[in-house]
Amino acid sequence: MKNKEDKKKLIILIIQIICLLIIPMIIFFIGIIKFPEKWRTPLIAIYSLFLVALGISTFFIVRKFLKESQIANRTLNQYLQNEINDQGLGTMIFLNNGKIIWATNFILNKFGKSIIGKNIKDVFLIEEWENNNHNFVFKKDDYEYEVFVNFEKNIVIVKDITIQSNLLSDYKKQRVVFGEIHIDNMNLYQVSLSQEELYKIYSNFGAMLEEISRKNNIIYRQYENGRFFLLTNQESLDNLEKTKFQAFEMLKNKNVYNGVNLTISAGFSYGIFKYDILDKLAKEALLQSKTRGGDQITVLTKYEKPRYYGSSSEIDINMSRTNVTYIAKNLMNKLKSKNINKVIVYGHKDADLDALGSSWGIYKLAKSMGKEAYIQNKTFDDTTQRIYDKLEPLDKQVFISPKEATNLNDKKTLVVICDTSDETRIENIQAFKDIDKENIIVIDHHRIGLNPKFAMRENLYIDSSASSASEIVTEIIAITNSDERIDVKTAQHLLNGIYLDTKNFQKQTSSKTFSAAALLEKWGAKISVSVNNLKFDEKIFEQVAELLENLEEIKDGFFLAYKNIPVAPDVISIAADEILRVNGRKAAFVVAKLPGLKRCKMSARGIETNVQLIAENVGGGGHFGTAAAESDEDIELFVNNLKQAIVSVK
């Protein structure tokens, strides 16, 4: 049907052209040639009038056509603009120099008619950008816009996303947040206070928690003595984070009853739709707070680094042996099991006396149970290297290489990691190849940044209140009545480890530390031997003096020394300890290069000061008062980053 109409219009157009143009032209030329001379002038005049009439008629025809087209285009453009405006979209066109020459009504209404003639950089407050397509969010007069600049086509597309952003913001604010809060040192008081006193402590603590909950939009329920489940939303959590959980300070280190001070650990999780996963994350966050030493709060969500708050004091020692008893029985059950025939014990790289002592203690237990056992360590610090060099040849055969350890791996091999919970700090990157996850046990005393994923949670024992891994292993031996399984040499290695990490009982000690030392002395270890093992020679003395040549105070009580020379890790630690021998100093940091490596190491020591937080800011970690970090950065750059961390961390 449409084809017939088109053909009809085409025929009419051809007839019009023939009648109005071709026929008159033929008549004109024939007349010029055939008519007499006297008819030519009138003929030319008539034809001229015809052409004028034809031009006038053509003008009106074209004018009518253009008017109709303009109306149609204007109507269409208006309709399209209205439709686009309804969707919150607008466009503008600019010249190559950025000058805006045209904009839709949406743009004119939102940004004003004066926008024409302005530069897009001035309109959107952009100082510099490259001449390529650019996409960004722009805020103006309580409105939020998504802006796309196409430099190839000299066009800007603007979309109003205010409602979308507000809805998303409201949704985020109302997202459910789970929390867990535990009283760190409640077990300490449960074994020493009466039921009436404990009741008053719980009552006073509950009253303070009730006040915090009321002011911060939190719902809480106690599901066990000293353990609470919390429920709030994202907006309330954001407000708490802005103040670094200052609201919870009233719960910490406050005299709740008759001189009793409590410290708390808490964990919060958000950003997950499934409540069971959210609950697991909250428990994971709490566990991180506790294994990092307690007295702090961890905020955790998926695909983001944990955020830590607090850790302003060292908590009272938990005298309960419930957890260590569990791990001790678990370890002994593994060693007694017929499903285990080999044991590989790992200390950390550049093993110190604590790594050596704890590893040797576990190795000796395994051998006493008839298992094939080895220690995977080939690198030691200077102090430990001197002890290793004095070992008998048969004892040195106990220490195997990473490759040898990997070749021993199978489903019947038990792996025990001592004095670290970081798999990157052991020498063998394939330590867990062909090993069942349930056959991996961790014994450590350092605060951690992330909970280990390579072992089952019940096989982790990380007690940051312990002085050393050697203290923990000694306690395991005592709990399981395995003292007859170890010899004097083993007891001496364990005592060496305790003496190293306590700096001859000058720091990080508790009654459990002294008890462990007393037991080891009873089992044949000698204090004089441990003290002599920690003495350094003239060479180390000179190295320490050289490291401390450029000692400077970064801020009140915080001292830093560094030198671009290769020094053994334990010498760097000794230098840090030396700085704190002067009264009034709060924290010490020493940096030097590691021998044979393009890396530098920092050792940090603190007196009632959390140096762990500073170490974490430069990629390290450790204890409240003892921490370290390593980096492959240039030493000057690393020291500058360390200075910034010292100044910024409160």
Side-chain angles (χ1 to χ4, degrees):
M1 190 72 180
K2 186 177 180 181
N3 291 335
K4 290 181 179 181
E5 291 179 357
D6 292 340
K7 288 180 180 180
K8 185 177 179 181
K9 289 180 180 179
L10 180 61
I11 293 171
I12 293 172
L13 179 62
I14 293 172
I15 293 172
Q16 287 176 339
I17 293 172
I18 293 173
C19 294
L20 296 176
L21 186 61
I22 297 178
I23 292 176
M25 287 181 64
I26 293 173
I27 294 173
F28 174 75
F29 285 111
I30 292 174
I32 292 294
I33 297 171
K34 299 291 184 179
F35 284 17
E37 184 69 29
K38 62 179 182 178
W39 293 103
R40 290 181 182 177
T41 300
L43 185 61
I44 292 172
I46 293 171
Y47 190 72
S48 298
L49 291 173
F50 172 77
L51 289 177
V52 171
L54 180 62
I56 293 172
S57 63
T58 302
F59 169 76
F60 283 105
I61 291 172
V62 172
R63 181 184 176 188
K64 180 182 178 182
F65 173 77
L66 292 175
K67 187 175 182 180
E68 290 176 352
S69 298
Q70 186 178 15
I71 293 173
N73 287 336
R74 187 188 302 123
T75 303
L76 179 60
N77 288 338
Q78 188 65 41
Y79 173 77
L80 291 175
Q81 279 207 43
N82 290 339
E83 287 296 314
I84 292 174
N85 289 350
D86 290 342
Q87 300 301 319
L89 286 170
T91 57
M92 61 181 76
I93 296 174
F94 61 92
L95 300 177
N96 288 337
N97 61 5
K99 181 181 178 180
I100 299 170
I101 59 173
W102 180 86
T104 60
N105 292 335
F106 173 85
I107 300 295
L108 298 177
N109 293 334
K110 293 289 187 179
F111 293 83
K113 295 182 180 180
S114 61
I115 194 174
I116 303 298
K118 290 184 178 180
N119 194 290
I120 56 173
K121 294 182 180 180
D122 298 329
V123 172
F124 296 113
L125 306 177
I126 303 297
E127 294 182 1
E128 292 183 6
W129 59 28
E130 298 177 357
N131 288 333
N132 51 14
N133 296 341
H134 204 61
N135 197 13
F136 58 92
V137 174
F138 179 73
K139 292 183 179 181
K140 177 180 174 61
D141 300 333
D142 297 327
Y143 287 90
E144 194 168 337
Y145 304 95
E146 185 177 15
V147 181
F148 174 70
V149 183
N150 190 320
F151 282 96
E152 297 174 350
K153 300 179 180 178
N154 287 39
I155 190 171
V156 179
I157 301 173
V158 179
K159 181 180 181 181
D160 187 344
I161 58 172
T162 306
I163 296 177
Q164 174 186 336
S165 297
N166 289 341
L167 288 174
L168 183 60
S169 177
D170 289 341
Y171 163 73
K172 288 182 177 179
K173 288 179 180 179
Q174 300 306 319
R175 283 190 300 186
V176 175
V177 174
F178 281 7
E180 293 262 352
I181 183 170
H182 287 191
I183 301 175
D184 291 320
N185 51 355
M186 200 62 224
N187 288 336
L188 174 66
Y189 298 113
Q190 284 178 335
V191 299
S192 59
L193 300 178
S194 66
Q195 290 297 321
E196 181 181 355
E197 289 172 319
L198 289 173
Y199 174 77
K200 290 181 179 179
I201 291 173
Y202 282 126
S203 297
N204 293 339
F205 182 86
M208 290 188 292
L209 185 57
E210 175 67 30
E211 182 180 350
I212 292 172
S213 301
R214 179 172 47 81
K215 292 181 178 179
N216 295 276
N217 189 33
I218 297 174
I219 297 174
Y220 74 93
R221 288 292 181 272
Q222 181 174 249
Y223 63 89
E224 193 176 324
N225 286 342
R227 303 189 175 201
F228 301 82
F229 174 76
L230 308 179
L231 182 66
T232 186
N233 60 22
Q234 184 74 56
E235 184 177 21
S236 300
L237 179 63
D238 289 343
N239 291 333
L240 288 168
E241 287 198 74
K242 287 177 183 177
T243 62
K244 300 186 183 299
F245 289 89
Q246 188 175 5
F248 283 80
E249 288 298 317
M250 66 180 295
L251 296 176
K252 297 161 50 178
N253 297 317
K254 185 169 183 178
N255 189 345
V256 292
Y257 172 74
N258 198 23
V260 172
N261 294 320
L262 301 178
T263 60
I264 63 167
S265 290
F268 289 89
S269 63
Y270 68 94
I272 307 297
F273 295 109
K274 294 184 177 181
Y275 290 163
D276 58 335
I277 298 178
L278 200 62
D279 184 51
K280 290 179 181 178
L281 276 179
K283 287 180 169 59
E284 175 81 5
L286 173 67
L287 183 60
Q288 289 199 29
S289 293
K290 294 175 76 68
T291 53
R292 283 168 52 84
D295 184 37
Q296 56 193 285
I297 296 170
T298 302
V299 179
L300 188 62
T301 188
K302 279 194 170 183
Y303 313 118
E304 290 183 16
K305 289 184 177 180
R307 300 189 291 275
Y308 305 110
Y309 301 90
S311 191
S312 58
S313 66
E314 292 191 88
I315 65 171
D316 290 327
I317 303 301
N318 181 3
M319 300 303 293
S320 171
R321 289 190 167 186
T322 303
N323 293 335
V324 71
T325 298
Y326 176 83
I327 198 69
K329 289 182 178 179
N330 193 13
L331 173 64
M332 294 305 291
N333 287 337
K334 293 286 186 183
L335 294 178
K336 293 176 182 177
S337 173
K338 295 181 180 179
N339 295 323
I340 297 295
N341 54 27
K342 293 188 291 293
V343 178
I344 302 175
V345 190
Y346 289 88
H348 53 73
K349 298 174 184 176
D350 297 316
D352 57 14
L353 290 179
D354 187 31
L356 175 63
S358 54
S359 298
W360 190 273
I362 298 298
Y363 156 77
K364 207 64 180 179
L365 278 179
K367 290 294 290 184
S368 69
M369 303 295 289
K371 305 299 181 183
E372 182 182 351
Y374 303 93
I375 298 175
Q376 199 291 285
N377 253 122
K378 284 295 186 178
T379 60
F380 310 95
D381 64 22
D382 281 0
T383 304
T384 309
Q385 186 68 51
R386 293 199 303 270
I387 302 299
Y388 176 81
D389 291 340
K390 295 177 183 178
L391 293 177
E392 297 176 2
L394 287 177
D395 289 337
K396 289 182 179 180
Q397 294 177 10
V398 171
F399 296 86
I400 60 176
S401 68
K403 184 177 180 180
E404 291 174 310
T406 303
N407 291 335
L408 292 171
N409 287 355
D410 58 30
K411 300 300 181 182
K412 290 190 174 184
T413 301
L414 176 67
V415 169
V416 183
I417 299 176
C418 295
D419 201 32
T420 184
S421 59
D422 184 352
E423 59 184 311
T424 64
R425 289 208 65 211
I426 60 178
E427 296 174 357
N428 187 8
I429 61 175
Q430 293 185 310
F432 311 132
K433 181 182 178 182
D434 300 325
I435 302 292
D436 284 343
K437 193 173 183 179
E438 63 179 17
N439 288 338
I440 302 172
I441 293 177
V442 176
I443 299 172
D444 190 23
H445 68 115
H446 297 98
R447 295 187 181 197
I448 63 172
L450 293 174
N451 289 324
K453 301 295 184 183
F454 55 83
M456 298 176 67
R457 182 176 296 182
E458 54 267 28
N459 284 353
L460 301 176
Y461 185 75
I462 304 171
D463 182 5
S464 58
S465 67
S467 69
S468 57
S470 295
E471 176 189 314
I472 298 172
V473 172
T474 301
E475 196 170 9
I476 289 173
I477 294 171
I479 288 174
T480 56
N481 296 317
S482 301
D483 51 291
E484 74 280 357
R485 301 180 183 276
I486 67 169
D487 53 17
V488 173
K489 185 187 302 179
T490 304
Q492 190 65 60
H493 283 316
L494 289 167
L495 188 61
N496 291 345
I498 293 176
Y499 262 76
L500 172 75
D501 274 13
T502 61
K503 301 301 175 188
N504 292 337
F505 287 86
Q506 295 178 44
K507 68 179 188 66
Q508 190 70 17
T509 57
S510 68
S511 59
K512 293 200 297 183
T513 312
F514 289 99
S515 296
L519 282 173
L520 292 170
E521 191 174 19
K522 178 182 177 182
W523 298 340
K526 293 183 178 181
I527 294 174
S528 58
V529 174
S530 295
V531 171
N532 285 328
N533 285 334
L534 292 180
K535 290 181 179 179
F536 49 86
D537 55 26
E538 188 70 25
K539 178 183 176 182
I540 294 177
F541 180 82
E542 292 174 355
Q543 288 179 326
V544 170
E546 187 176 4
L547 283 175
L548 300 182
E549 283 178 354
N550 62 348
L551 181 67
E552 61 177 316
E553 189 173 17
I554 305 302
K555 67 179 183 182
D556 185 30
F558 287 68
F559 287 81
L560 168 66
Y562 74 97
K563 193 130 189 184
N564 193 7
I565 58 173
V567 179
D570 55 334
V571 177
I572 302 174
S573 302
I574 292 170
D577 287 319
E578 284 297 305
I579 294 174
L580 291 186
R581 290 173 66 86
V582 178
N583 189 33
R585 293 179 177 177
K586 302 174 184 176
F589 305 86
V590 177
V591 182
K593 300 289 288 186
L594 290 172
L597 299 173
K598 294 182 179 180
R599 296 176 65 82
C600 53
K601 178 175 180 177
M602 180 273 293
S603 284
R605 299 291 185 268
I607 299 176
E608 296 183 354
T609 301
N610 192 344
V611 294
Q612 180 205 12
L613 296 179
I614 296 173
E616 286 178 344
N617 273 14
V618 291
H623 277 293
F624 184 95
T626 306
E630 291 186 15
S631 175
D632 53 8
E633 297 175 330
D634 177 78
I635 190 169
E636 296 290 342
L637 176 61
F638 179 72
V639 168
N640 285 335
N641 292 335
L642 177 58
K643 288 180 179 179
Q644 293 177 16
I646 294 172
V647 172
S648 61
V649 172
K650 303 297 181 184

